[in-house]
C-alpha cells in the first residue's frame, strides 16, 4: 500500500479496516487486531492496517520506531499465537508528519483464524470474539482455489473416515479454551469445519488435514502417511536388521508411539571417573531426535508420493529422511539458518502446536543443535535435495 492509501485509512476514524495503538505494550490486543483483520468478517477482501505510534484520535504518539519494535511486530506472524499463520507486512512509515509502524494484514484464504484459541473479528470499529453464526460465515468464506494441500478436500474420503471420539475428546480440548468448549452449542460438523477438518460447501468431504490428524486409518487414504523405523546392526543398509516398525495412525498416536520407540533405543552410559557425581551420557539426546523427526513429519510432502518418513538407526548414526525438498523461501543455501522458515503444510503445523508437539515455530533445528551440543555430540548434518531432505545425527563419541 502506498502512502496516500495509508493516510486515507489513518484519517478514517470509524473504519473497520483500521486500528491505532500508541505503543506495543499490550501485545495481546495487537494480536487480537491482527487476527480480526485476517478473518475479514465484513468481506472487504482488502488488507486491514494496524498503526503503531498513533493515538485513538489519530494524533501522533511520537513513539520511537526502532528496529527492535519492528522485529517484535514481525515475529507475531509466526510465533504460534495466531493460527493459521497470518500474512502480514511490517513497515516503518512517515504519514502526515508522524513516524509510525504500519502492520498491513491480508485477508486469510482459510479462515477462521484464531488467536490463543479464540476467533476475533471486526464489528464496526471494535473487536469481538466471533459468534457461532459469524464463525460459520468465516468457514464458508474459505477460498477453494490455491489452498495448501493439507486443507484441500479428499474426494476418496467420507465423514465416516474421521474418528469423532478422538476429535471431541482429544483435539478440541487441546485447541479451544475451556470456557468456549463449555458454551459451545455448535454441531460436530460445524466444529470440524471450523478447524478445517472438513469442507464447508457440498459435497461435504474430509480434508487431508482431517484425515491426518483424526482419521481412523490415515494411511488407507494418504498412503505415505506413516513413519518407517529401521534399526541396523552395522553401518550399512545391507547389514543385519535388529528391529523394524511401521508407525501409522492419526498424528498424535503416531508421534506418541515414535517417542516411545526412540526412547527405548537410546543407550545411556555412566561415567563415575570424571567427577565425584555420576554422569549419565546418552548416545543420542532424545530432544534432538524428537525435534528432527517431528520436523520431518511436518515439512514433508504428502502429495503424489507413497514414501514415508524414514528413520534408519545405524550403529554409528541415525538418518532421518523425509520426502519433499525445501519449500517457499527455504532453499538449499539457507536451509536450517536461524529465522529462515516456511510451511508446506501450515495447517498441519497448527495441529502439531495444538497437540503440544510444537511449542514455538522455527526453532526445531536450533533446539536440536543446542541439545546435541549440550550432550557433547557432533552437530546434525543436512543433505538437501529437490525431492527429499536427509538429516544425519552422529552417535556421541
Amino acid at each position: 500500500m502506498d502512502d496516500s492509501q495509508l493516510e486515507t485509512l489513518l484519517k478514517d476514524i470509524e473504519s473497520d479496516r483500521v486500528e491505532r495503538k500508541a505503543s506495543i505494550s499490550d501485545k495481546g490486543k495487537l494480536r487480537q487486531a491482527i487476527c480480526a483483520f485476517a478473518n475479514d468478517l465484513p468481506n472487504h477482501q482488502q488488507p486491514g492496517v494496524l498503526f503503531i505510534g498513533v493515538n485513538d484520535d489519530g494524533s501522533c504518539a511520537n513513539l520511537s520506531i526502532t528496529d527492535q519494535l519492528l522485529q517484535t511486530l514481525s515475529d507475531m506472524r509466526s510465533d504460534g499465537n495466531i493460527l493459521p499463520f497470518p500474512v502480514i507486512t511490517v513497515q516503518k512509515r512517515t504519514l502526515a508528519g508522524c513516524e509510525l509502524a504500519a502492520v498491513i494484514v491480508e485477508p486469510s484464504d482459510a479462515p477462521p483464524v484464531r488467536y490463543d484459541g479464540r476467533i476475533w473479528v471486526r464489528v464496526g470499529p471494535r473487536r469481538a470474539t466471533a459468534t457461532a453464526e459469524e464463525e460459520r460465515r468465516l468457514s464458508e468464506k474459505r477460498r477453494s482455489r490455491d489452498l495448501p494441500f493439507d486443507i484441500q478436500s479428499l474426494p476418496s474420503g467420507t465423514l465416516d473416515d474421521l474418528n469423532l471420539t478422538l476429535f471431541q475428546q482429544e483435539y478440541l480440548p487441546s485447541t479451544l479454551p475451556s470456557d468456549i468448549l463449555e458454551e459451545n452449542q455448535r454441531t460436530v460438523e460445524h466444529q470440524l469445519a471450523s478447524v478445517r477438518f472438513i469442507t464447508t460447501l457440498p459435497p461435504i468431504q474430509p480434508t487431508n488435514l482431517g484425515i491426518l490428524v483424526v482419521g481412523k486409518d490415515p494411511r488407507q487414504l494418504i498412503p505415505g502417511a506413516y513413519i518407517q523405523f529401521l534399526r541396523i546392526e552395522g553401518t550399512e543398509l545391507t547389514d543385519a536388521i535388529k528391529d523394524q516398525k511401521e508407525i501409522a495412525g492419526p498424528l498424535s498416536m503416531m508421534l506418541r508411539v515414535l517417542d516411545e520407540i526412540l526412547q527405548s533405543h537410546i543407550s545411556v552410559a555412566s561415567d563415575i571417573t570424571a567427577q565425584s557425581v555420576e554422569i549419565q551420557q546418552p548416545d543420542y539426546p532424545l530432544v534432538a531426535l524428537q525435534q528432527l523427526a517431528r520436523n520431518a513429519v511436518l515439512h514433508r510432502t504428502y502429495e503424489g508420493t507413497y514414501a514415508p518418513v524414514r528413520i534408519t538407526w545405524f550403529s554409528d548414526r541415525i538418518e532421518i529422511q523425509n520426502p519433499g525438498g525445501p519449500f517457499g523461501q527455504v532453499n538449499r543455501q539457507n536451509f536450517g539458518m536461524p529465522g529462515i522458515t516456511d510451511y508446506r503444510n501450515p495447517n498441519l503445523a497448527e495441529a502439531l502446536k495444538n497437540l503440544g508437539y510444537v511449542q514455538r515455530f522455527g526453532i526445531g533445528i536450533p533446539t536440536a543443535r543446542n541439545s546435541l551440543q549440550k550432550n557433547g555430540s557432533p552437530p546434525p548434518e543436512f543433505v538437501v535435495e529437490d525431492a527429499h531432505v536427509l538429516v544425519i545425527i552422529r552417535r556421541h563419541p
Side-chain angles (χ1 to χ4, degrees):
M1 300 179 72
D2 60 31
D3 285 356
S4 62
Q5 292 173 310
L6 288 173
E7 280 196 33
T8 298
L9 288 173
L10 180 61
K11 294 174 183 177
D12 190 351
I13 303 298
E14 299 300 321
S15 174
D16 57 8
R17 291 179 55 206
V18 173
E19 186 149 344
R20 301 164 188 79
K21 293 294 177 187
S23 72
I24 62 169
S25 59
D26 192 337
K27 296 181 178 60
K29 289 187 177 179
L30 300 182
R31 292 187 175 99
Q32 290 173 11
I34 292 171
C35 177
F37 286 139
N39 278 319
D40 186 27
L41 180 65
N43 204 27
H44 291 302
Q45 299 183 34
Q46 292 180 301
V49 183
L50 175 60
F51 291 106
I52 309 296
V54 182
N55 296 312
D56 287 342
D57 62 3
S59 62
C60 188
N62 298 310
L63 179 67
S64 177
I65 308 300
T66 64
D67 288 344
Q68 181 59 51
L69 181 145
L70 296 173
Q71 185 62 51
T72 298
L73 292 170
S74 296
D75 287 346
M76 292 182 183
R77 171 196 172 270
S78 55
D79 62 8
N81 288 292
I82 306 170
L83 294 169
F85 303 121
V87 177
I88 69 174
T89 303
V90 178
Q91 300 174 343
K92 181 178 180 178
R93 294 288 187 95
T94 301
L95 303 175
C98 181
E99 186 177 85
L100 52 80
V103 182
I104 302 169
V105 185
E106 300 292 337
S108 172
D109 284 344
V113 177
R114 288 180 168 83
Y115 162 54
D116 199 22
R118 302 176 192 274
I119 300 170
W120 291 89
V121 295
R122 301 289 298 190
V123 181
R126 68 180 182 87
R127 275 175 278 107
T129 53
T131 64
E133 175 59 22
E134 288 167 341
E135 185 177 325
R136 182 190 63 78
R137 286 170 53 195
L138 289 173
S139 295
E140 290 180 353
K141 263 180 359 97
R142 201 170 299 154
R143 299 175 188 175
S144 59
R145 295 182 298 111
D146 302 324
L147 291 176
F149 173 78
D150 55 6
I151 56 170
Q152 291 177 17
S153 64
L154 188 61
S156 58
T158 70
L159 297 192
D160 288 338
D161 293 309
L162 300 177
N163 185 333
L164 298 184
T165 300
L166 178 65
F167 172 66
Q168 293 179 307
Q169 294 185 2
E170 179 177 310
Y171 191 76
L172 277 185
S174 70
T175 304
L176 302 180
S178 58
D179 60 318
I180 290 182
L181 284 174
E182 289 171 3
E183 67 184 28
N184 199 335
Q185 301 300 315
R186 296 157 177 80
T187 65
V188 173
E189 288 77 10
H190 189 165
Q191 293 171 333
L192 288 165
S194 179
V195 295
R196 304 168 199 84
F197 285 179
I198 63 173
T199 57
T200 57
L201 299 175
I204 304 300
Q205 297 169 322
T207 61
N208 294 300
L209 177 69
I211 293 297
L212 289 170
V213 179
V214 297
K216 293 176 181 175
D217 186 2
R219 189 177 173 185
Q220 194 71 21
L221 295 168
I222 304 175
Y226 69 104
I227 300 169
Q228 183 182 76
F229 178 87
L230 194 63
R231 179 73 187 263
I232 304 289
E233 285 282 24
T235 61
E236 304 293 335
L237 278 173
T238 52
D239 291 332
I241 296 174
K242 182 178 181 180
D243 190 16
Q244 59 181 329
K245 291 181 173 64
E246 290 188 353
I247 311 166
L251 189 65
S252 58
M253 183 185 303
M254 186 170 65
L255 293 179
R256 278 197 297 268
V257 172
L258 177 61
D259 282 353
E260 293 170 2
I261 291 172
L262 294 175
Q263 181 72 69
S264 69
H265 281 268
I266 291 174
S267 298
V268 180
S270 295
D271 183 358
I272 59 174
T273 62
Q275 299 182 31
S276 58
V277 179
E278 179 181 356
I279 298 174
Q280 293 192 329
Q281 193 83 50
D283 52 358
Y284 299 98
L286 178 61
V287 169
L289 301 186
Q290 288 174 324
Q291 291 293 330
L292 295 169
R294 292 170 189 176
N295 257 20
V297 170
L298 168 58
H299 292 290
R300 63 157 293 171
T301 180
Y302 289 89
E303 188 174 10
T305 178
Y306 288 5
V309 169
R310 290 188 170 91
I311 301 177
T312 310
W313 193 306
F314 296 95
S315 59
D316 63 342
R317 69 193 187 279
I318 297 172
E319 296 185 354
I320 302 174
Q321 180 174 310
N322 66 292
F327 176 81
Q329 67 172 337
V330 180
N331 54 45
R332 292 188 187 186
Q333 288 70 42
N334 64 22
F335 187 93
M337 292 177 59
I340 306 296
T341 187
D342 215 328
Y343 294 88
R344 176 181 279 112
N345 305 302
N347 301 278
L348 187 61
E350 176 183 358
L352 277 167
K353 185 173 190 300
N354 290 337
L355 290 167
Y357 289 101
V358 173
Q359 281 68 51
R360 286 175 52 203
F361 291 107
I363 66 165
I365 291 177
T367 299
R369 283 193 171 117
N370 185 54
S371 178
L372 289 164
Q373 183 180 32
K374 286 183 177 180
N375 193 58
S377 303
E381 304 163 26
F382 295 95
V383 180
V384 182
E385 304 290 348
D386 291 339
H388 73 267
V389 173
L390 171 69
V391 57
I392 303 169
I393 309 103
R394 303 287 178 182
R395 184 176 180 175
H396 181 272

